[in-house]
Amino acid sequence: MGRGHAANRSYTLTGVIRRMARPLTLAVVLAGAGGCSVGVPDPAAPSAVQTTPSLATPTITPGHDAAAVAAKDLPFTAGDSLAPGVAVGLSDGLREAPGWKPVKEDVAGENRYVKADGCVVSARVRVNQGSLAVTGDDKASTAELFRYLDPTVVPGYLKTDTLRWGGEPGKPGPMVEVLAYDGVSAPGGRSAAVLARLFGKAGSSVYISLVCPDSAALAVARADVAERLVVVPPTD
């Protein structure tokens, strides 16, 4: 995701949500009819990594203790504790949550899930994010990611939230700070939200978008995401 793509700013957050909402509503219907899904334009960088719980090729960084980093919370201020250039991941645990099912699996780095109540979650991991990173400041880097996706977003719109940082669902474990953009308006009065973090030192980002029929369904979906979509720390 380089600044060279800045001309393609039609992929705003609101635009992304609207592009998601129309075809994804259709995707739910099609999935019930014949197991089909509808592709959605991707606003993120062209480089993707697998979103399953482990990286295919572990990278050894001399002098870096990945296990120690994974064992404690990762606030924005601790972003530099990651190894340089070793990407984070996202689990696919939402597939196991009641009412959810996957409709897209590791397609260009994206997993997508639908719920019986009409909620849709899209989870992406991207690498080569260095052009958006603010050195030593993951919070500012994440704000840059949001502004890239939608130039109208200002820092005051973004709220700090958390996701699980490794560990096992249903058990206490460390947390990772992310920024959340709430109250996104989707077509037909649907409610939406986006959670993301850009890990500047690691050069990668996670991006999760949710679209639901109403705010009550969105709140339940966000709780499922917070419990099931685990941000996976890099390993040595």
Side-chain angles (χ1 to χ4, degrees):
M1 181 185 304
R3 295 187 186 277
H5 295 282
N8 193 14
R9 288 291 178 84
S10 61
Y11 289 128
T12 63
L13 281 175
T14 301
V16 170
I17 292 297
R18 289 180 177 175
R19 287 177 176 83
M20 279 186 61
R22 288 194 293 270
L24 288 179
T25 302
L26 179 59
V28 175
V29 176
L30 291 176
C36 300
S37 61
V38 179
V40 178
D42 193 343
S47 299
V49 296
Q50 187 173 333
T51 57
T52 48
S54 61
L55 296 173
T57 306
T59 300
I60 298 175
T61 304
H64 182 260
D65 190 343
V69 174
K72 55 187 178 182
D73 292 343
L74 193 79
F76 286 116
T77 54
D80 275 355
S81 64
L82 295 171
V86 184
V88 299
L90 273 174
S91 76
D92 62 352
L94 195 59
R95 65 166 54 244
E96 300 170 359
W100 290 94
K101 65 178 180 180
V103 294
K104 178 183 286 190
E105 299 183 72
D106 196 24
V107 178
E110 178 190 7
N111 284 348
R112 188 182 301 160
Y113 313 85
V114 298
K115 193 178 180 184
D117 63 3
C119 288
V120 180
V121 168
S122 175
R124 303 179 180 93
V125 175
R126 288 290 180 266
V127 297
N128 299 330
Q129 306 284 274
S131 62
L132 292 176
V134 177
T135 303
D137 192 337
D138 273 9
K139 188 172 185 178
S141 299
T142 304
E144 285 296 314
L145 173 62
F146 274 97
R147 278 194 289 265
Y148 175 82
L149 295 172
D150 187 342
T152 67
V153 171
V154 296
Y157 295 167
L158 305 174
K159 306 299 181 183
T160 300
D161 206 330
T162 58
L163 292 170
R164 296 183 64 89
W165 176 241
E168 298 180 40
K171 297 182 179 180
M175 308 297 289
V176 56
E177 285 188 330
V178 299
L179 287 181
Y181 188 37
D182 294 307
V184 183
S185 178
R190 292 162 66 83
S191 297
V194 176
L195 299 94
R197 176 157 175 176
L198 196 155
F199 300 87
K201 189 71 171 289
S204 60
S205 66
V206 296
Y207 174 95
I208 301 169
S209 57
L210 307 89
V211 181
C212 288
D214 52 50
S215 58
L218 180 65
V220 175
R222 284 192 65 163
D224 288 341
V225 165
E227 176 64 22
R228 300 282 185 163
L229 285 186
V230 177
V231 182
V232 182
T235 57
D236 283 335

